């Protein structure tokens, strides 16, 4: 069996946690989840969670530091 195209193994390399977080936050991350509390197969409480996590750069700021307006 030969590996070709999309089936090729990824090279072994270490990625620092800081670099991983930087890449994720630069593009943004959406986290979703559902929590269901049930007793005897009867759903009592359902909570849906959705969070968008992204970085904020200085160019996105509404005003520059030291700007009185």
């Amino acid at each position: 069996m030969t590996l070709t195209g999309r089936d090729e193994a990824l090279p072994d390399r270490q990625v620092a946690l800081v670099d991983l977080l930087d890449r994720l936050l630069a593009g943004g991350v959406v986290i979703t989840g559902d929590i269901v509390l049930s007793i005897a197969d009867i759903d009592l409480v359902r909570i849906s969670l959705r969070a968008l996590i992204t970085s904020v750069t200085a160019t996105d700021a509404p005003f520059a530091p030291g700007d009185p307006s």
Side-chain angles (χ1 to χ4, degrees), residues 15-48:
V15 178
L17 181 59
V18 173
D19 294 333
L20 179 62
L21 286 176
D22 184 46
R23 281 186 154 190
L24 289 175
L25 293 178
V29 178
V30 176
I31 300 173
T32 61
D34 292 316
I35 299 172
V36 178
L37 177 64
S38 61
I39 297 176
D41 290 332
I42 298 173
D43 294 343
L44 301 175
V45 177
R46 178 181 174 152
I47 301 172
S48 295

